[in-house]
Amino acid sequence: MNDTMRQDAISRVGITIAIDGPAGSGKSTVSKELASRLGIGYLDTGAMYRALTWYVLDRGIDLEDTDAVAAAATEMVLRLHSDPSDPHVWVGQTEVTEQIREPRIALAIKNVSTNLKVRAWMATEQRRRMMEARQEGSGMIAEGRDITTVVCPDADVRVLLLADQEARLRRRTLELYGDATREHMEIVREQVEGRDKADSAVSEFMTAAPGVETVDSTGLDIAGVCEAILAFVDEDLASRVA
Ligand code: DC
C-alpha cells in the first residue's frame, strides 16, 4: 500500500496505533512521522505526565501527597494539539510546550508517573482521545510506556520499540545537548537510567506483551523503523477493509 491508499482505508475503518518503548528508543520521532504520513492524530502521553508535573510544581502541591496530585490531574485543564507537525501543550491559558522539557520537570516526574491514581486517570483520558479519533473516521497514534498494555490493549496495531542501551543514550544526549561527548553521555546516562528504573516499577516496557510486535531500532534509521511499523499497519488495514 502507499500512503494515499492507507489514508483512504483509514477514512473508512479508523485506526488506533499504540507505540511503547523506553527513553531514547526513537518513538516520538517515529510516531510523529507516521501520524503525518497516515493523516491521523498524534498523542504524546509523556507530555501529559510532564504537563501534570508542571501544574503540580506551579501550584506548590506536595509531590509526595498522592491524593492531592491525583486531584490535580482531574482539575487541570489540559489541551494538546494532535497535529504531528505542530504539537503544542497548554495548561489552562498557559502554553507549556517548552517548559515541560525543562530538567526540573524530568527530576520531579517520577513522583507523578508512579502515582497509581494518576496512572488510572491518564489511562482513561488517553484511551478516550484515541477512541474518539477512531470513531470519527480518522485515528491516532499514541506513544508512551503502557499504551500497548493498559491504555489500549485492543489497539489495531501495537508495537514495542526497543534499541540497545548505548544507542538510546546517544540519541537522548544528541537531543538534549546537540552533541554526544562522553561527559554529556554520562550526565544523561544517570538521568535516563534513574527514570527507566522508576518507570519500570509501574509499567513493563522492555518486554513485549502477547500480541505486541517488537521492532528493534538499533541499526535502523527513522525511515527504516517507519517501514517496519507500516508493514503491521498494512496487515491490519487489509484485514479490516473489505
Ligand atoms: O516519554 P517522556 O520522556 O516524555 O516521558 C516522561 C515521563 O512520563 C517518563 O518518566 C515516563 C512517564 N510516562 C509514563 O509513565 N507512561 C506513559 N505512558 C508515558 C510517559
Side-chain angles (χ1 to χ4, degrees), residues 45-46 49-50 101 109 113 119 144-146 172 195 199:
T45 63
Y49 285 92
R50 287 172 181 272
R101 303 290 156 195
I109 204 163
S113 63
R119 296 203 73 81
R145 305 288 192 289
D146 59 349
R172 255 294 140 103
R195 208 139 60 85
D199 292 337

Side-chain angles (χ1 to χ4, degrees), residues 104-115:
R104 70 185 181 100
I105 302 294
L107 283 173
I109 204 163
K110 69 172 184 291
N111 288 286
V112 172
S113 63
T114 56
N115 179 327

